[in-house]
């Protein structure tokens, strides 16, 4: 595909390009690559001036650049075609779709799939080998159920939702349209509900529902539990990474991002557009306000205000964490000064 064809597809997002100065500079683009790995025929992108040195080193044939005249001149001098845009990474992500589309099987029901007679299966659905669809299940139009998926009774799967191989959807689960559940994920399993008694733990039956709204993506080997009563809910357009634990009764708002190995205890309430970085943990019943951010490995034991950034274990406001970290690195030096002061005072 000629670079000019790619540029024309994103004409509305591009603010400038190299064609006005070099109309004959129109390379054939055969793929996409990172700036430092690109070779002849590749399209790459530059996020900002801090990557300027890589522009002079890359072997890419064309670049998606920010609105930075210096970078544009630099690319032009190297004979590379380019387009400029306010958000190069976003445009690069959209360009990938021109060269790659995820595997999507044609609609069919494999003869080894086990589908209960009471299940309702929509039109244009793919159900792969050895998948199990139990009684009362509803599967929407255009859904994709990959091999070895197990869907328990009374679960509902929305239109065009994809369930990847070996994921498990438990009873009383509601998954909306256009969701993606990756391999090994478990949605709607029993929450960790036990009551202590004199003779041991009494298991509290988990009779609630797990609800994933539209356009939710859940990564491999993540678990979202159902509660004893009520529902666990994940808001639309929320993305959940691999190996994430969402406890029973959690309420996750719209547009959140939860990174790998994060864990939420039961009853946590997360607002809209919240970001929980990798290995962050949230204690039982904590409330996190809209737009808040928890940095990696943050341990959140108390409510977080909307828009606040927290870090550390236990989590504190990020600016305070940075100050405390600076002091922490100076502790050996401060300890030596303290010991020296003790010795001086002892002599007196």
């Amino acid at each position: 595909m000629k670079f000019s064809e790619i540029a024309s597809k994103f004409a509305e997002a591009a603010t400038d390009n190299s064609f006005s100065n070099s109309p004959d500079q129109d390379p054939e683009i055969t793929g996409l690559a990172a700036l430092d790995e690109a070779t002849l025929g590749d399209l790459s992108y530059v996020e900002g001036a801090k990557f300027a040195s890589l522009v002079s080193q890359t072997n890419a044939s064309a670049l998606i650049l920010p609105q930075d005249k210096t970078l544009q001149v630099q690319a032009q001098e190297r004979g590379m075609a380019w387009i400029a845009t306010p958000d190069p990474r976003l445009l690069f992500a959209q360009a990938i779709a021109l060269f790659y589309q995820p595997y999507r099987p044609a609609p069919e029901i494999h003869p080894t799939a086990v589908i209960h007679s009471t299940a309702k299966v929509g039109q244009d659905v793919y159900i792969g080998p050895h998948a199990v669809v139990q009684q009362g299940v509803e599967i929407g139009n255009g859904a994709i159920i990959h091999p070895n998926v197990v869907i328990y009774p009374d679960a509902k799967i929305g239109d065009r939702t994809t369930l990847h191989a070996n994921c498990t959807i438990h009873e009383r689960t509601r998954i909306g349209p256009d969701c993606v559940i990756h391999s090994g994920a478990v949605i709607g399993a029993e929450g960790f509900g036990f009551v202590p008694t004199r003779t041991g733990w009494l298991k509290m039956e988990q009779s609630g529902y797990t609800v994933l709204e539209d356009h939710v993506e859940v990564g491999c080997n993540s678990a979202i539990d159902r509660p004893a009563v009520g529902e666990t809910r994940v808001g639309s357009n929320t993305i959940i990474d691999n190996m994430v634990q969402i406890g029973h009764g959690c309420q996750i708002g719209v547009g959140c991002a939860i990174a790998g190995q994060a864990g939420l205890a039961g009853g946590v309430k997360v607002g809209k557009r919240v970001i929980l970085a990798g290995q962050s943990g949230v204690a039982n019943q904590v409330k996190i306000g809209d737009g808040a951010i928890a940095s990696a490995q943050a341990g959140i034991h108390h409510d977080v205000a909307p828009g606040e950034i927290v870090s550390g274990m236990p989590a504190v406001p990020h600016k305070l964490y940075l100050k405390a970290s600076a002091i922490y690195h100076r502790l050996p030096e401060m300890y030596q000064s303290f010991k020296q002061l003790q010795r001086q005072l002892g002599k007196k």
Side-chain angles (χ1 to χ4, degrees), residues 340-348:
Q340 184 178 359
L341 182 60
Q342 276 188 320
R343 287 192 294 269
Q344 291 174 352
L345 291 173
K347 290 178 181 179
K348 295 179 181 179

Side-chain angles (χ1 to χ4, degrees), residues 327-339:
I327 294 171
Y328 177 81
H329 289 295
R330 294 186 58 196
L331 283 178
E333 172 193 341
M334 294 167 69
Y335 178 71
Q336 291 302 321
S337 298
F338 174 71
K339 295 293 287 184

